[in-house]
Amino acid sequence: MTNEEYGRLADSLAPKSKCWKDCFNAFWTGGLICLIGQLLMNGFQALDLSKELSGTATSVCLVFLAALLTGFAVFDDIAKLAGAGTLVPITGFANSIAAPAVEFQTEGLILGTCAKMFTIAGPVLVFGTAASAIYGLIYWIWTLF
């Protein structure tokens, strides 16, 4: 078998790229999550909440729904289809906290659920908090001069 024949055989047996399909699924699923968020926000504003309170209530609702769907093992199925479409909105963050808690619940409340809850999201929270404190300090020093 020549190198050229081997290359054709390898190309014919290699799995086909699903990049465009994956991008499309991520796009419409992420867009659907954002649409749900916008509908929630409009609903809260229709109840005479301010824009700031509506945004807060919307975030809380999306986090709750994502955690609930994670607990019922539905979010994982959605994430398999959507890929990054579920990771970008706030729902991905809620899933990253709820998933380890659900996974390790058999180890007990303290050593399982509570201890493992922040295994994925913990570094993100620590870095985000530290970075915001450092940026705030730099901004404060900058405004003094």
Side-chain angles (χ1 to χ4, degrees), residues 82-117:
T86 57
L87 298 178
V88 177
I90 195 169
T91 54
F93 179 72
N95 179 57
S96 70
I97 291 177
V102 171
E103 183 178 344
F104 292 103
Q105 70 183 352
T106 58
E107 296 179 20
L109 179 64
I110 302 299
L111 295 177
T113 302
C114 294
K116 302 291 184 178
M117 187 180 304

Coordinates of all heavy atoms in Angstrom, one line a residue, residues 82-117:
A82 N -26.1 21.0 22.9 CA -25.8 22.4 22.6 C -24.3 22.7 22.8 O -23.9 23.7 22.2 CB -26.6 23.3 23.6
G83 N -23.6 22.0 23.6 CA -22.2 22.3 23.8 C -22.0 23.6 24.5 O -22.6 23.8 25.5
A84 N -21.2 24.5 23.9 CA -20.9 25.8 24.4 C -22.1 26.7 24.6 O -22.1 27.7 25.3 CB -19.8 26.4 23.6
G85 N -23.2 26.4 23.9 CA -24.4 27.2 24.0 C -25.0 27.3 25.4 O -25.7 28.2 25.8
T86 N -24.7 26.2 26.2 CA -25.2 26.2 27.6 C -24.2 26.7 28.6 O -24.5 27.0 29.7 CB -25.6 24.8 28.0 OG1 -24.5 24.0 27.9 CG2 -26.8 24.3 27.2
L87 N -22.9 26.9 28.1 CA -21.9 27.3 29.0 C -21.7 28.8 29.1 O -21.3 29.3 30.1 CB -20.5 26.7 28.6 CG -20.4 25.2 28.6 CD1 -19.1 24.7 28.1 CD2 -20.7 24.6 29.9
V88 N -22.1 29.5 28.1 CA -21.8 30.9 28.0 C -22.8 31.7 28.9 O -22.4 32.5 29.7 CB -21.9 31.4 26.6 CG1 -21.7 32.9 26.5 CG2 -20.8 30.8 25.8
P89 N -24.1 31.4 28.9 CA -25.0 32.1 29.8 C -24.8 31.7 31.2 O -24.0 30.8 31.5 CB -26.4 31.7 29.3 CG -26.2 31.2 28.0 CD -24.8 30.6 27.9
I90 N -25.5 32.4 32.1 CA -25.3 32.1 33.6 C -25.7 30.7 33.9 O -25.3 30.2 35.0 CB -26.1 33.2 34.3 CG1 -25.8 33.2 35.8 CG2 -27.6 32.9 34.2 CD1 -26.3 34.4 36.6
T91 N -26.5 30.1 33.1 CA -26.9 28.7 33.3 C -25.8 27.7 33.4 O -25.8 26.8 34.2 CB -27.9 28.2 32.3 OG1 -27.3 28.4 31.0 CG2 -29.2 29.0 32.3
G92 N -24.7 28.0 32.6 CA -23.6 27.1 32.7 C -22.9 27.2 34.0 O -22.3 26.2 34.6
F93 N -22.8 28.4 34.6 CA -22.2 28.6 35.9 C -23.0 27.8 37.0 O -22.5 27.2 37.9 CB -22.1 30.0 36.3 CG -21.6 30.3 37.6 CD1 -20.2 30.1 37.8 CD2 -22.3 30.7 38.6 CE1 -19.6 30.3 39.1 CE2 -21.8 31.0 39.9 CZ -20.4 30.8 40.1
A94 N -24.4 27.9 36.9 CA -25.2 27.2 37.9 C -25.0 25.7 37.8 O -24.9 25.0 38.8 CB -26.7 27.6 37.6
N95 N -24.9 25.2 36.5 CA -24.7 23.8 36.3 C -23.3 23.4 36.9 O -23.2 22.3 37.5 CB -24.7 23.5 34.8 CG -24.5 22.0 34.6 OD1 -25.1 21.1 35.1 ND2 -23.5 21.8 33.8
S96 N -22.3 24.2 36.8 CA -21.0 23.8 37.2 C -20.9 23.8 38.8 O -20.1 23.1 39.3 CB -19.9 24.9 36.7 OG -20.1 26.1 37.4
I97 N -21.8 24.4 39.4 CA -21.9 24.3 40.9 C -22.8 23.2 41.3 O -22.5 22.4 42.2 CB -22.4 25.6 41.5 CG1 -21.3 26.7 41.4 CG2 -22.7 25.5 43.0 CD1 -21.7 28.1 41.9
A98 N -23.9 23.0 40.6 CA -24.9 22.0 41.0 C -24.4 20.6 40.6 O -24.7 19.6 41.4 CB -26.2 22.3 40.4
A99 N -23.8 20.4 39.5 CA -23.4 19.0 39.0 C -22.5 18.3 40.0 O -22.8 17.1 40.3 CB -22.8 19.1 37.7
P100 N -21.4 18.9 40.5 CA -20.6 18.1 41.5 C -21.4 17.8 42.8 O -21.2 16.7 43.4 CB -19.4 19.0 41.8 CG -19.3 19.9 40.7 CD -20.8 20.1 40.2
A101 N -22.3 18.7 43.2 CA -23.1 18.5 44.4 C -24.0 17.3 44.2 O -24.1 16.4 45.1 CB -23.9 19.7 44.8
V102 N -24.6 17.2 43.1 CA -25.5 16.0 42.8 C -24.7 14.8 42.6 O -25.1 13.7 43.1 CB -26.3 16.3 41.5 CG1 -27.0 15.1 41.0 CG2 -27.2 17.5 41.7
E103 N -23.5 14.8 42.0 CA -22.7 13.7 41.7 C -22.2 13.0 43.0 O -22.1 11.8 43.1 CB -21.5 14.0 40.8 CG -20.7 12.9 40.4 CD -19.5 13.3 39.5 OE1 -19.6 14.4 38.9 OE2 -18.6 12.5 39.4
F104 N -21.8 13.8 44.0 CA -21.2 13.3 45.2 C -22.2 13.3 46.4 O -21.8 13.1 47.5 CB -20.0 14.2 45.6 CG -18.9 14.0 44.6 CD1 -18.6 15.0 43.7 CD2 -18.1 12.9 44.6 CE1 -17.6 14.9 42.8 CE2 -17.0 12.8 43.7 CZ -16.8 13.7 42.8
Q105 N -23.5 13.4 46.2 CA -24.5 13.3 47.3 C -24.5 12.0 48.0 O -24.9 11.9 49.1 CB -25.8 13.7 46.8 CG -26.5 12.6 45.9 CD -27.8 13.1 45.4 OE1 -28.3 14.1 45.8 NE2 -28.4 12.3 44.5
T106 N -24.0 10.9 47.3 CA -24.0 9.6 48.0 C -22.9 9.5 49.1 O -23.0 8.7 49.9 CB -23.7 8.5 47.0 OG1 -22.5 8.8 46.3 CG2 -24.8 8.4 45.9
E107 N -22.0 10.5 49.1 CA -21.0 10.5 50.1 C -21.4 11.2 51.4 O -20.6 11.4 52.3 CB -19.7 11.1 49.6 CG -19.1 10.3 48.4 CD -17.8 10.9 47.9 OE1 -17.2 11.8 48.6 OE2 -17.4 10.5 46.8
G108 N -22.6 11.7 51.4 CA -23.2 12.4 52.5 C -23.3 13.9 52.3 O -22.8 14.4 51.3
L109 N -24.0 14.5 53.2 CA -24.3 16.0 53.1 C -23.0 16.8 53.2 O -22.7 17.7 52.4 CB -25.3 16.4 54.1 CG -25.7 17.9 54.1 CD1 -26.3 18.2 52.8 CD2 -26.6 18.3 55.2
I110 N -22.2 16.6 54.2 CA -21.0 17.4 54.5 C -19.9 17.1 53.6 O -19.4 17.9 52.8 CB -20.6 17.4 56.0 CG1 -21.7 17.8 56.9 CG2 -19.4 18.2 56.2 CD1 -22.2 19.2 56.7
L111 N -19.4 15.8 53.6 CA -18.3 15.4 52.8 C -18.6 15.2 51.4 O -17.7 15.2 50.5 CB -17.7 14.1 53.4 CG -17.1 14.2 54.8 CD1 -16.6 12.9 55.3 CD2 -16.0 15.3 54.9
G112 N -19.8 15.0 51.0 CA -20.2 14.8 49.6 C -20.7 16.1 49.0 O -20.0 16.8 48.3
T113 N -21.9 16.4 49.2 CA -22.6 17.6 48.6 C -21.9 18.9 48.9 O -21.5 19.6 48.0 CB -24.1 17.7 49.0 OG1 -24.7 16.4 48.7 CG2 -24.8 18.8 48.3
C114 N -21.7 19.2 50.1 CA -21.2 20.5 50.5 C -19.7 20.7 50.1 O -19.2 21.7 49.7 CB -21.4 20.8 52.0 SG -23.1 21.0 52.5
A115 N -18.9 19.6 50.4 CA -17.5 19.7 50.1 C -17.2 19.7 48.6 O -16.2 20.4 48.2 CB -16.7 18.5 50.8
K116 N -17.9 19.1 47.8 CA -17.7 18.9 46.4 C -18.4 20.0 45.5 O -18.2 20.1 44.3 CB -18.0 17.5 45.9 CG -17.3 16.4 46.6 CD -15.9 16.4 46.3 CE -15.2 15.2 46.9 NZ -13.8 15.1 46.7
M117 N -19.2 20.8 46.1 CA -20.1 21.7 45.4 C -19.2 22.7 44.5 O -19.6 23.0 43.4 CB -21.0 22.5 46.3 CG -22.0 23.3 45.6 SD -23.1 24.2 46.7 CE -23.8 22.9 47.7

